[in-house]
C-alpha cells in the first residue's frame, strides 16, 4: 500500500509552491510575480522574502486550508500566523495527517466565479493506481503543468511513486530545445496541448521510449500524430475535468476513449458513475455529450455549453461578446476561437456604429477588453465590417483572422 501523498515532504512543498504562486497572482494582477519555486523552508513570507502583507498571508492561508481540507484539523488557526514558507509546509503536513481525506481543486474561474471541486483522496488514489497500470514503470516524470490543479496533482504527485519514478522535474520554464536535450529514455512528460504544440514546432526529434500525457483541452489529431513522428513512443490523452478527475483515456489520435476502471456505465445512461468511499453512487458531472460504442468505449461529441479552451483555460465566447457590445461604438459583434491554422486564441468580428472612427476603435477595444476580461478571454485578432459574416441561410459563418494575428 502506498504511503499518503503528503508523507513526501518534497511533493507537499511543490503543491504549496504552486498554490501560493497562483493565489498571490490573483491578489496582484499585473504585478511582478513571486520568485519561481522551489523556495527553501526558511523563505520569509513577509518583507524580506515573498513580500506578503498581513491580508495576503491571511488569504493564502485560507486557500491552503480550502485545498487541503484542513477545516477539521488543529492547525487551522495557526496558518495565518506563519512567518516562513516551511512553517506552512509543516502545518499542512500535520493537518493532513489528522484529517487528510479530501482535497478541493478550483476551476479556472474564467467567467469570474471559480468553482470548488471537492474529491475524496481515496478516489484520486484509485485513479492513480489504474493509470500506473496503464502506463507502466518510468524512470523520471517531467511535469509541465502546475501541481495544485487536479491534472497536475494526479500525474505529478500521486502517479510518480506508483511508476517507480525516482525523480520528478518541473520543466515549465524550459524552452522546448532545452527540454529536448534533457529528455531521456524511460521519461514520462506531463503536459497540455499548447505546450505539446511548441514541442512539435521546436524539437527536431525525441529520444526513444519517452511517453507523453496530455489533458486540460482536446489534443488535435494532427498534433498527436506529429508528436509520434517526432519520436514520442506513446501519447496518452486523458478525458476529464476538475469536477470529475480522469474519466477516460486513449493513446491514438481519433480513437474512442476507454472508460477508466473506477467508472462504470449503466446501460442507457448518458454519463458514467462511480461509487464513493461511503458507497454512494456519483454520476460524472460532464460538460460534454458522449456517444457510447457497443464495446463500452466512447467518443466526445461536443460541449453542452459554449465554452472553448484557450491556453488550457475554459473561456466563454458569449461572455466576451457581451463585454464588447457594452462599448459605445460597437453595434454588433461575433466572437469565436481561431481555427487551428490561425492560432490558439479568440478572434472577434465587430460591426461599428455609424460614424465611429474605425482607426481608433481597434486600440480602444483592446484596452476595453483588457480592463474587463482575463488574458485568455481577450481576442487577439480583430476584424471589422458593415455587417456580420453570414451564409446564404443567414447563419453566422466563420471569417479569416487578419494575417497579423
Amino acid at each position: 500500500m502506498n504511503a499518503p501523498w503528503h508523507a513526501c515532504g518534497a511533493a507537499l512543498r511543490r503543491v504549496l509552491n504552486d498554490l501560493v504562486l497562483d493565489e498571490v497572482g490573483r491578489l496582484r494582477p499585473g504585478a511582478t510575480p513571486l520568485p519561481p519555486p522551489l523556495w527553501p523552508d526558511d523563505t520569509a513570507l513577509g518583507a524580506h522574502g515573498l513580500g506578503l502583507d498581513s491580508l495576503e498571508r491571511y488569504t493564502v492561508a485560507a486557500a491552503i486550508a480550502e485545498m487541503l481540507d484542513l477545516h477539521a484539523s488543529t492547525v487551522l488557526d495557526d496558518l495565518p500566523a506563519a512567518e516562513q514558507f516551511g512553517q506552512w509546509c509543516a502545518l499542512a503536513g500535520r493537518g493532513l495527517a489528522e484529517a487528510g481525506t479530501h482535497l478541493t481543486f478550483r476551476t479556472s474561474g474564467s467567467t469570474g466565479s471559480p468553482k470548488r471541486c471537492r474529491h475524496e483522496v481515496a478516489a484520486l488514489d484509485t485513479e492513480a493506481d489504474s493509470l500506473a497500470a496503464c502506463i507502466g514503470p518510468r524512470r523520471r516524470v517531467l511535469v509541465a503543468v502546475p501541481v495544485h490543479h487536479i491534472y497536475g496533482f494526479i500525474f505529478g504527485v500521486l502517479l510518480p511513486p506508483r511508476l517507480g519514478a525516482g525523480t520528478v522535474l518541473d520543466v515549465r520554464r524550459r524552452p522546448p530545445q532545452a527540454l529536448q536535450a534533457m529528455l531521456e529514455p524511460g521519461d514520462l512528460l506531463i503536459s497540455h496541448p499548447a505546450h505539446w504544440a511548441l514541442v512539435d514546432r521546436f524539437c527536431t526529434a525525441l529520444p526513444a521510449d519517452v511517453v507523453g500525457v496530455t489533458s486540460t483541452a482536446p489534443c488535435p489529431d494532427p498534433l498527436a500524430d506529429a508528436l509520434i513522428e517526432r519520436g514520442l513512443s506513446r501519447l496518452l490523452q486523458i478525458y476529464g475535468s476538475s469536477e470529475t478527475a480522469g474519466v477516460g483515456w486513449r493513446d491514438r489520435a481519433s480513437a474512442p476513449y476507454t472508460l477508466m476502471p473506477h467508472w462504470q456505465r449503466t446501460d442507457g445512461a448518458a454519463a458514467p458513475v462511480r461509487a464513493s468511499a461511503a458507497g454512494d453512487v456519483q454520476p460524472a458531472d460532464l460538460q460534454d455529450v458522449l456517444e457510447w460504442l457497443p464495446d463500452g468505449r466512447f467518443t466526445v461529441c461536443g460541449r453542452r455549453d459554449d465554452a472553448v479552451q484557450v491556453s488550457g483555460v475554459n473561456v466563454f465566447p458569449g461572455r466576451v461578446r457581451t463585454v464588447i457590445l457594452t462599448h459605445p461604438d460597437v453595434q454588433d459583434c461575433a466572437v469565436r476561437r481561431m481555427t487551428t491554422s490561425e492560432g490558439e486564441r479568440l478572434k472577434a468580428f465587430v460591426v461599428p456604429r455609424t460614424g465611429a472612427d474605425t482607426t481608433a476603435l481597434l486600440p480602444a477595444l483592446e484596452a476595453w477588453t483588457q480592463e474587463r476580461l482575463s488574458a485568455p478571454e481577450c481576442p487577439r485578432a480583430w476584424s471589422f465590417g458593415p455587417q456580420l459574416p453570414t451564409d446564404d441561410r443567414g447563419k453566422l459563418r466563420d471569417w479569416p483572422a487578419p494575417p497579423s494575428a
Side-chain angles (χ1 to χ4, degrees):
M1 182 176 180
N2 292 291
W5 72 270
H6 50 82
C8 175
L12 180 57
R13 286 179 177 84
R14 289 190 291 116
V15 171
L16 291 186
N17 264 169
D18 282 351
L19 177 59
V20 174
L21 281 169
D22 185 36
E23 195 62 33
V24 173
R26 294 176 187 273
L27 294 169
R28 304 175 182 174
T32 302
L34 294 178
L38 293 168
W39 304 318
D41 280 352
D42 61 358
T43 301
L45 301 179
H48 301 294
L50 301 183
L52 307 184
D53 61 31
S54 58
L55 180 58
E56 288 173 331
R57 271 191 275 181
Y58 185 85
T59 304
V60 174
I64 293 172
E66 177 188 66
M67 178 185 176
L68 303 182
D69 213 54
L70 301 179
H71 307 91
S73 73
T74 60
V75 307
L76 185 62
D77 291 340
D78 297 326
L79 286 170
E83 297 290 338
Q84 296 180 331
F85 177 68
Q87 289 178 284
W88 267 344
C89 294
L91 289 168
R94 279 174 45 200
L96 286 165
E98 295 172 6
T101 61
H102 289 76
L103 292 172
T104 297
F105 301 92
R106 281 180 171 258
T107 57
S108 62
S110 58
T111 61
S113 301
K115 182 179 178 181
R116 298 178 182 89
C117 304
R118 192 166 184 257
H119 291 267
E120 291 178 324
V121 174
L124 301 180
D125 282 332
T126 299
E127 177 175 339
D129 289 339
S130 67
L131 289 167
C134 178
I135 295 171
R138 295 280 93 189
R139 294 179 56 251
R140 304 188 305 176
V141 175
L142 285 63
V143 184
V145 293
V147 295
H148 72 297
H149 291 310
I150 192 166
Y151 170 48
F153 181 81
I154 292 172
F155 282 87
V157 175
L158 297 184
L159 187 60
R162 290 168 163 83
L163 302 178
T167 303
V168 180
L169 300 173
D170 183 347
V171 298
R172 283 174 289 176
R173 295 165 184 82
R174 298 266 185 171
Q177 297 90 337
L179 176 61
Q180 175 180 329
M182 71 181 296
L183 282 170
E184 300 175 356
D187 284 347
L188 178 70
L189 177 56
I190 311 300
S191 191
H192 54 88
H195 182 255
W196 281 116
L198 295 176
V199 171
D200 174 51
R201 179 180 176 186
F202 293 107
C203 295
T204 55
L206 300 176
D209 193 26
V210 172
V211 175
V213 181
T214 186
S215 191
T216 74
C219 182
D221 290 345
L223 174 59
D225 288 335
L227 290 167
I228 299 300
E229 292 177 3
R230 287 271 183 267
L232 195 69
S233 65
R234 187 184 183 197
L235 181 64
L236 197 68
Q237 300 182 40
I238 304 298
Y239 173 74
S241 67
S242 297
E243 292 87 351
T244 62
V247 175
W249 64 271
R250 66 182 183 184
D251 57 5
R252 185 166 53 85
S254 75
Y257 288 91
T258 297
L259 193 65
M260 291 186 179
H262 53 286
W263 290 96
Q264 297 180 343
R265 180 176 179 252
T266 304
D267 290 342
V273 299
R274 66 182 175 189
S276 69
D280 301 324
V281 175
Q282 301 172 331
D285 181 12
L286 299 178
Q287 301 299 318
D288 299 295
V289 177
L290 305 186
E291 179 179 348
W292 294 92
L293 304 180
D295 62 5
R297 294 183 298 168
F298 65 89
T299 59
V300 181
C301 301
R303 294 188 65 93
R304 298 182 186 276
D305 54 32
D306 67 342
V308 297
Q309 287 268 338
V310 175
S311 295
V313 175
N314 283 344
V315 299
F316 295 79
R319 162 180 156 78
V320 177
R321 177 177 183 269
T322 298
V323 170
I324 296 173
L325 286 174
T326 61
H327 191 282
D329 288 333
V330 173
Q331 177 178 318
D332 201 358
C333 77
V335 178
R336 283 189 173 183
R337 193 183 188 280
M338 295 178 180
T339 64
T340 302
S341 62
E342 292 172 338
E344 302 285 342
R345 304 285 180 164
L346 295 184
K347 60 183 178 181
F349 192 103
V350 174
V351 179
R353 290 195 181 278
T354 303
D357 182 357
T358 55
T359 303
L361 186 54
L362 174 57
L365 286 174
E366 288 178 330
W368 186 267
T369 52
Q370 288 169 7
E371 292 173 359
R372 294 163 174 79
L373 298 170
S374 66
E377 293 176 297
C378 293
R380 296 297 177 88
W382 297 85
S383 301
F384 299 87
Q387 62 185 26
L388 295 179
T390 57
D391 60 20
D392 56 2
R393 297 172 297 167
K395 301 288 187 180
L396 181 70
R397 60 173 174 81
D398 199 13
W399 65 92
S404 60

